[in-house]
Amino acid sequence: MSSEQAPGRAWVFGDDVNTDLLAPGAYMKGPFEMLASHCLEAVDPMFAQQVQAGDMIVAGENFGIGSSREQAAQALKHLGVSAVLARSFGGIFFRNALNLGLVALTCPDSGRIRAGDRLAVDAAVGAVDNLSTGERYPCNRLPPKLLDMVRDGGLIAHLEKRQSNGKPDQDER
Amino acid sequence: MTAMGATLVEKIIARAAGVDRVTPGDIVTCRVDLAMMHDSGGPRRVQPLLERLGRGIWDPERVVVISDHYVPAVDAESAAILDGTRKWVARHGVRHFHDMQGICHVVLPERGHLRPGMFVVGGDSHSPTGGAFGCFMFGIGATDMAGVLITGETWVTVPDTIRLDWDGALPAGVCAKDMMLHLCARLGMGGAAQQVVQYGGNTVDALPMQERMTLSNMAAELGAQCGLIEADETTVDYIRSAGGDPGDPVAWRGDDDAAVMARHRFDASTLAPQVAAPHSPANAGDVAVHEGTPVHQAYIGACTGAKLEDLRMAAAVLSGQRVAKGTRLLLAPASTRTTLAAAQDGTLATLIEAGAILMPSGCGACAGYGAGVLTEDEVCISSTARNFRGRMGAASSQVFLASPYTVAASAVTGRITDPRGFLEPGAGV
Ligand code: SF4
């Protein structure tokens, strides 16, 4: 099986996209679908309506800074976003994203990507292919164990799967 | 290429991952030495995930639960959360349960749970506090915590280290809280968003343990994963007196030639008391900027600002003084042991004689959970760590952050006040 995931279209954002923009506090008490439908509306009112399954977020520095709310990553995943590529991430967002099954990769060249470019990400190799321009950018790699977890749909789903396969929780070392 | 030495955080992660060494940026899986949870983010959030998997917890001896957010219960809802917490620890056989004994970040080391070199996760964003004991302790969300509880493991990206070195003697009336507010202003809220910070220099060496905890605690405000301080005699003495085992602290120091991402130096001797204006700790500046601003409430509380050292600072200012008419001074000691020690050494009497209103040991008004919250347009000066909009009550309320000295001085005049005028020359901590 190729480690590449299916190509997706790029949605491009700037620096410092915080968790309040991703999961606006005003909708935190309501149903989750409602919260997700307001994801990023303060910077792009059409995003939540128009984003399609497999699309990717491309951003600058500090993506996901702010509170530790898991809903920020959950909202993107719920909307079908397949990966987030940013120059840097808020540390807790980065953890939450992978634990919830959303690919997050540090990509120093994210600024070269334009809105609508078609991207293919290979998290095992650590590369992003821009199918629209033919360029290839390096990104960080995810080690196999973590990639398994993300592919299984996140930490809990991963543990569920291992359990039903009769595998131990911990690998030998 | 000659091999460089390793930083403290790299050494701790390598040990927990069972490898010889790690490099910043590596993602590794680590065994967790200890997991701490509180009543708000703990059992009630992780239990549904444990149930989904039909699992219990990997090692009840390595789990510490501390009820502090909803204590004491103020309504049926908070009472149910506490009841659920108590039932959860009983059901899972968690012996290390500190019920209503104070705020988790203070109670954890106070009860001897931390030892230099440990790899610790906490279900709270101020978990970097554990770094003051030479532990790599960081905050995680509920999904992450459920994974730890089931497997005893978690993954981390090995962080870079930013050194924050302070030299010089702190002037009287200036303390760790002022150092931290200054750092928030200088480095910004995301100043260390993917790194750990490590404090050092002769100022930090001279600080008592609880003051070091304030530095580590507010590493969270820089966005740092942890606020490390290498263990020394001060650390060992504290751990021993808490009934803990300091282990081998010498083994848990970074190498001198370890590569760090950045090193910033600061001069403590020229630092003035700091005040952070609403609604961010990064809005900090010298107290002079805000002097004279009237306050309705002065609050001495939270893991950041109500440990015994903090109460002693407030008492140094309030000795023989009275809280101003029209201003209220609320005092929520960080733990029951803090209250006891302050009662024994006379600190508590000084504070109460000055008019402080004694409140339960818990998170209290800090994040709006307990008693002492603010209504519309009220102004509070507080020894807590954060002043985000609406955190302590109504959205239009205004919270200024300052040291216990400055909060106490402001309580006496009813206006934001430089505490240095209240202190005998040389009377600082
Ligand atoms: S006292 Fe405040 S900052 Fe500390 S744990 Fe409680 S709510 Fe958080």
Side-chain angles (χ1 to χ4, degrees):
Chain A
M1 183 186 97
S2 159
S3 55
E4 284 202 11
Q5 55 185 78
R9 286 183 314 158
W11 288 79
V12 176
F13 297 91
D15 293 339
D16 298 330
V17 173
N18 64 44
T19 51
D20 285 308
L21 296 171
L22 292 161
Y27 305 101
M28 286 290 284
K29 278 191 182 147
F32 177 69
E33 289 68 25
M34 165 82 98
L35 177 74
S37 74
H38 292 278
C39 179
L40 289 171
E41 73 177 357
V43 278
D44 184 345
M46 301 313 286
F47 171 75
Q49 285 166 44
Q50 296 186 346
V51 67
Q52 287 169 18
D55 286 358
M56 300 181 193
I57 301 270
V58 175
E61 304 286 351
N62 292 327
F63 190 87
I65 51 166
S67 80
S68 61
R69 62 182 73 153
E70 291 186 348
Q71 289 89 337
Q74 238 158 10
L76 291 177
K77 194 169 174 229
H78 178 81
L79 294 171
V81 169
S82 65
V84 183
L85 310 174
R87 274 203 298 281
S88 65
F89 289 91
I92 300 182
F93 176 87
F94 185 75
R95 286 190 72 84
N96 288 345
L98 296 176
N99 281 333
L100 292 167
L102 174 66
V103 172
L105 296 169
T106 308
C107 179
D109 297 331
S110 69
R112 302 182 62 85
I113 300 169
R114 298 282 155 255
D117 283 358
R118 279 170 56 76
L119 306 174
V121 164
D122 191 330
V125 168
V128 179
D129 282 306
N130 190 330
L131 306 179
S132 302
T133 65
E135 290 182 320
R136 172 168 253 231
Y137 321 112
C139 63
N140 71 301
R141 290 189 300 174
L142 296 180
K145 201 173 160 180
L146 210 59
L147 205 51
D148 275 353
M149 178 188 85
V150 176
R151 293 238 172 86
D152 286 347
L155 178 60
I156 300 299
H158 177 65
L159 292 174
E160 215 163 26
K161 189 171 156 196
R162 287 177 75 92
Q163 196 165 312
S164 62
N165 291 347
K167 287 202 190 147
D169 290 329
Q170 286 143 19
D171 294 327
E172 313 269 323
R173 53 157 169 256
Chain B
M1 202 179 89
T2 54
M4 299 277 282
T7 61
L8 173 56
V9 71
E10 288 161 15
K11 287 187 180 183
I12 297 173
I13 291 174
R15 196 266 306 151
V19 297
D20 286 338
R21 72 171 299 161
V22 293
T23 309
D26 290 354
I27 295 178
V28 292
T29 300
C30 293
R31 306 293 340 250
V32 173
D33 295 314
L34 196 70
M36 180 198 76
M37 289 184 289
H38 55 57
D39 52 328
S40 179
R44 69 188 180 127
R45 300 266 186 244
V46 298
Q47 184 56 28
L49 299 170
L50 297 185
E51 259 160 36
R52 181 170 150 196
L53 289 158
R55 297 292 295 272
I57 59 184
W58 101 104
D59 184 353
E61 286 301 299
R62 292 184 183 275
V63 176
V64 179
V65 177
I66 297 168
S67 63
D68 59 0
H69 275 58
Y70 291 101
V71 305
V74 291
D75 52 23
E77 204 182 359
S78 47
I81 291 169
L82 292 171
D83 181 55
T85 305
R86 291 174 191 126
K87 287 181 173 141
W88 189 88
V89 297
R91 169 171 164 195
H92 290 279
V94 173
R95 280 195 312 128
H96 304 302
F97 175 42
H98 306 290
D99 193 9
M100 301 179 63
Q101 298 304 305
I103 305 162
C104 59
H105 307 298
V106 175
V107 171
L108 190 71
E110 203 176 64
R111 306 291 169 129
H113 291 296
L114 296 180
R115 181 174 68 247
M118 284 174 106
F119 184 104
V120 189
V121 296
D124 187 89
S125 64
H126 281 101
S127 299
T129 313
F133 295 84
C135 302
F136 179 44
M137 179 164 180
F138 59 100
I140 60 174
T143 303
D144 233 344
M145 183 61 85
V148 168
L149 291 178
I150 292 166
T151 65
E153 291 188 342
T154 197
W155 61 275
V156 288
T157 309
V158 179
D160 275 300
T161 296
I162 297 177
R163 293 279 316 224
L164 302 173
D165 289 339
W166 286 81
D167 287 304
L170 283 166
V174 182
C175 62
K177 181 64 176 293
D178 300 303
M179 293 165 68
M180 256 344 280
L181 290 175
H182 180 70
L183 288 174
C184 290
R186 283 280 298 274
L187 302 176
M189 292 287 290
Q194 287 177 316
Q195 296 86 30
V196 296
V197 295
Q198 185 171 326
Y199 303 100
N202 61 33
T203 314
V204 176
D205 292 344
L207 287 176
M209 211 54 231
Q210 293 185 339
E211 280 282 88
R212 297 182 185 183
M213 286 164 69
T214 300
L215 297 182
S216 297
N217 177 281
M218 286 188 68
E221 272 52 66
L222 302 173
Q225 221 181 348
C226 188
L228 286 157
I229 300 174
E230 288 175 344
D232 61 7
E233 261 172 45
T234 303
T235 325
V236 168
D237 289 348
Y238 182 100
I239 293 172
R240 287 230 172 86
S241 69
D245 167 14
D248 178 13
V250 181
W252 299 110
R253 299 182 73 86
D255 295 324
D256 290 337
D257 62 344
V260 297
M261 190 184 190
R263 184 186 286 263
H264 304 285
R265 292 180 188 281
F266 302 89
D267 180 2
S269 68
T270 56
L271 189 65
Q274 301 288 299
V275 171
H279 296 282
S280 167
N283 288 343
D286 289 358
V287 61
V289 179
H290 300 290
E291 262 199 293
T293 303
V295 297
H296 301 95
Q297 175 164 306
Y299 186 78
I300 294 176
C303 49
T304 320
K307 302 176 291 302
L308 184 60
E309 296 286 346
D310 299 308
L311 269 49
R312 286 181 176 156
M313 292 178 213
V317 169
L318 287 166
S319 178
Q321 304 283 353
R322 279 295 300 174
V323 172
K325 222 170 167 236
T327 298
R328 53 190 186 266
L329 171 61
L330 305 185
L331 169 67
S335 69
T336 51
R337 286 203 179 161
T338 304
T339 311
L340 177 61
Q344 285 168 340
D345 75 0
T347 300
L348 197 58
T350 302
L351 296 173
I352 291 172
E353 276 161 21
I357 296 159
L358 184 61
M359 310 222 301
S361 289
C363 295
C366 173
Y369 289 89
V373 295
L374 305 165
T375 186
E376 301 294 345
D377 298 320
E378 278 193 314
V379 179
C380 176
I381 186 158
S382 172
S383 69
T384 54
R386 288 180 179 156
N387 56 349
F388 301 153
R389 190 183 299 279
R391 180 173 164 92
M392 200 183 263
S396 63
S397 61
Q398 310 256 313
V399 177
F400 290 83
L401 302 176
S403 75
Y405 286 125
T406 305
V407 173
S410 306
V412 172
T413 61
R415 296 166 181 280
I416 294 179
T417 298
D418 189 328
R420 289 174 293 189
F422 284 85
L423 299 164
E424 303 282 315
V429 169

